[in-house]
C-alpha cells in the first residue's frame, strides 16, 4: 500500500492502526491506514488524491464487522466528522457519521415517528444505510427518501430510495461509493409517545440480548419464515465455545467475545453453526455480519 501520510492536509491520518477497538466485537488486526477527514469538503478533495485501485473501506461504529486477525491492507475511512443533523418539518437530514441512536432521539424530540428502532441499533448512519438496518418491524428503507453518495472519482450524487434496491439487510450502493448523508420522511406523533416506544424497545433488547459482552449483533440473517437463533438452538449449539468466543447462551444468533477472542475463533463458530444447521435442517444460513479480509 502506498504512503498516504499526505492526506494529513485533509484530516487525521494514521498508519498501521489496530481495528479491534473500533469494532463492537473487539476482534481484528491492523489497517494499513486510517483516515478521518475533517469534514465533507476535505473528504471530497482527498478522494481525488486516492488512486482508484486503493482498497478503501468505510467504517462506522464497527458493529456489524468481523475483521481478519491479519488485518486489512486498506485505507480505512472514519466519517465520524460528517455528523450534521437537522429536522425540517417532517424530514430529518443527517450526515453519515451521526450515531443512529442520536438521530432517533432528535426525531423523537421533534415529535417525529419512524426511526424509533434506531435507538436500539449501535451503529452510525452510513453503516445503517449500507445494511438497511432495522428492528421491531421498522427498517431504514421504510422512511428513507434519498441519500447523497461520493463516488471514487470524487463526484457527489443524490440517489432516491427507489433506486437502491433495498431489501432485508441489503442496499445496492454504487460500487465503491461512500454514503455522505441521508434524508428521511417521518410522521408527526406525540413526542412522549415516541420516546416511550424507544424506551420499550431498549428494555426488550437488554432482556433478550447479551449486551454485557462484546458482540456484533445478529451473526446470520433470519431465513424467510424462521429465525436463525431458533435454528442454531435447535441443533444444540447454544453456548458452544471455541477459543475465547462462544455462541451466546442468552441469544443463539449472537457470538460473544469472552476476552481475547480471535477472528479464527469466531469464524470457527460461524462455520460450525452454518454447517450443522444445513446438515440437520437443509436451511442455508447467510451471514449478516460483514466478513472483512476473511471468508467462510
Ligand atoms: C448489540 C447489537 C445489536 C444490533 N442490533 C441490530 C438490529 O436490531 N438491527 C440491525 O439491522 N442491525 C443490528 N446490529 C448490527 C449493526 O449495528 C448494524 O448493521 C449497523 O447498521 C452497522 O452500523 P455501523 O456504523 O456499525 O457499520 P459498520 O459495522 O462499521 O459497517 C457495516 C458496513 O457498512 C459499510 N459502511 C459504513 N459506513 C459507510 C458509509 N458511510 N458509506 C458506505 N458504506 C458504509 C461498511 O463498509 C460495512 O460494509 C446490531 C449490532 C450489535 C452489536
Amino acid at each position: 500500500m502506498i504512503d498516504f501520510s499526505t492526506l494529513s492536509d485533509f484530516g487525521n491520518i494514521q498508519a498501521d492502526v489496530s481495528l479491534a477497538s473500533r469494532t463492537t466485537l473487539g476482534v481484528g488486526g491492523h489497517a494499513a491506514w486510517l483516515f478521518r477527514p475533517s469534514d465533507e469538503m476535505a473528504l471530497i478533495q482527498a478522494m481525488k488524491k486516492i488512486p482508484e485501485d486503493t482498497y478503501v473501506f468505510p467504517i462506522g461504529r464497527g458493529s456489524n464487522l468481523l475483521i481478519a486477525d491479519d488485518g486489512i491492507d486498506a485505507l480505512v475511512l472514519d466519517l465520524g466528522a460528517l455528523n450534521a443533523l437537522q429536522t425540517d418539518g417532517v424530514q430529518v437530514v443527517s450526515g453519515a457519521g451521526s450515531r443512529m441512536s442520536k438521530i432517533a432521539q432528535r426525531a423523537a424530540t421533534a415529535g417525529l415517528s419512524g426511526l424509533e428502532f434506531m435507538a436500539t441499533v449501535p451503529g452510525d448512519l452510513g453503516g445503517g444505510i449500507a445494511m438497511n438496518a432495522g428492528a421491531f418491524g421498522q427498517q431504514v428503507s421504510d422512511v428513507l427518501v434519498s441519500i447523497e453518495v461520493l463516488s471514487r472519482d470524487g463526484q457527489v450524487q443524490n440517489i432516491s430510495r427507489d433506486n437502491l434496491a433495498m431489501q432485508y439487510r441489503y442496499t445496492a450502493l454504487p460500487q465503491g461509493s461512500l454514503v455522505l448523508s441521508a434524508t428521511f420522511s417521518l410522521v408527526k406523533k406525540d413526542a412522549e409517545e415516541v420516546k416511550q416506544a424507544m424506551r420499550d424497545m431498549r428494555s426488550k433488547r437488554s432482556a433478550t440480548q447479551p449486551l454485557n459482552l462484546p458482540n456484533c449483533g445478529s451473526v446470520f440473517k433470519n431465513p424467510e419464515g424462521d429465525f436463525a437463533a431458533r435454528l442454531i438452538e435447535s441443533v444444540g449449539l447454544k453456548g458452544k465455545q471455541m477459543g475465547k468466543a462462544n455462541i451466546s447462551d442468552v441469544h443463539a444468533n449472537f457470538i460473544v467475545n469472552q476476552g481475547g477472542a480471535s477472528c479464527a475463533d469466531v469464524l470457527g463458530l460461524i462455520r460450525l453453526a452454518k454447517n450443522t444447521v444445513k446438515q440437520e435442517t437443509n436451511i442455508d444460513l447467510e451471514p449478516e455480519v460483514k466478513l472483512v479480509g476473511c471468508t467462510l
Side-chain angles (χ1 to χ4, degrees), residues 32-54:
W33 295 93
L34 176 69
F35 174 50
R36 184 180 163 98
S38 45
D39 56 27
E40 187 175 308
M41 193 46 70
L43 171 65
I44 294 169
Q45 286 168 351
M47 195 54 99
K48 294 177 181 159
K49 311 265 179 209
I50 299 169
E52 286 231 11
D53 60 354
T54 305

Side-chain angles (χ1 to χ4, degrees), residues 149-169:
V149 297
L150 176 65
S151 57
R152 285 302 303 274
D153 59 4
Q155 301 302 309
V156 177
Q157 193 191 347
N158 190 284
I159 309 179
S160 70
R161 187 263 318 267
D162 294 346
N163 290 323
L164 289 168
M166 295 175 88
Q167 298 165 26
Y168 169 57
R169 303 296 172 267

Side-chain angles (χ1 to χ4, degrees), residues 181-193:
S181 65
T183 300
F184 297 95
S185 183
L186 308 179
V187 292
K188 281 261 172 218
K189 205 171 185 179
D190 176 66
E192 198 37 52
E193 259 184 71

Side-chain angles (χ1 to χ4, degrees), residues 80-195:
L82 280 60
N83 60 5
L85 172 57
Q86 62 193 54
T87 57
D88 180 9
V90 294
Q91 292 206 327
V92 172
V93 183
S94 173
S98 299
R99 286 272 191 271
M100 284 191 271
S101 56
K102 192 173 164 200
I103 301 171
Q105 195 61 44
R106 180 69 65 88
T109 303
L112 295 173
S113 171
L115 293 177
E116 291 87 334
F117 73 98
M118 281 194 180
T120 66
V121 184
D124 290 347
L125 181 62
I129 300 284
M131 295 304 304
N132 190 17
F136 298 99
Q138 298 177 322
Q139 58 186 350
V140 164
S141 55
D142 297 338
V143 282
L144 184 68
V145 176
S146 62
I147 59 174
E148 281 209 323
V149 297
L150 176 65
S151 57
R152 285 302 303 274
D153 59 4
Q155 301 302 309
V156 177
Q157 193 191 347
N158 190 284
I159 309 179
S160 70
R161 187 263 318 267
D162 294 346
N163 290 323
L164 289 168
M166 295 175 88
Q167 298 165 26
Y168 169 57
R169 303 296 172 267
Y170 173 79
T171 301
L173 292 173
Q175 181 70 31
S177 66
L178 302 170
V179 178
L180 296 176
S181 65
T183 300
F184 297 95
S185 183
L186 308 179
V187 292
K188 281 261 172 218
K189 205 171 185 179
D190 176 66
E192 198 37 52
E193 259 184 71
V194 179
K195 286 180 186 171

Side-chain angles (χ1 to χ4, degrees), residues 259-290:
S262 65
C263 176
D265 296 338
V266 178
L267 270 182
L269 287 171
I270 294 177
R271 287 191 193 109
L272 179 68
K274 185 174 168 61
N275 294 341
T276 314
V277 167
K278 175 70 179 170
Q279 273 161 19
E280 297 198 16
T281 69
N282 204 29
I283 293 174
D284 271 315
L285 287 179
E286 189 192 332
E288 177 172 325
V289 60
K290 294 273 181 200

Side-chain angles (χ1 to χ4, degrees), residues 168 218-222 228 232 253 270 273-274 285-288:
Y168 169 57
S218 296
V219 171
F220 294 103
K221 296 180 184 179
N222 287 320
I232 296 165
N253 198 21
I270 294 177
K274 185 174 168 61
L285 287 179
E286 189 192 332
E288 177 172 325

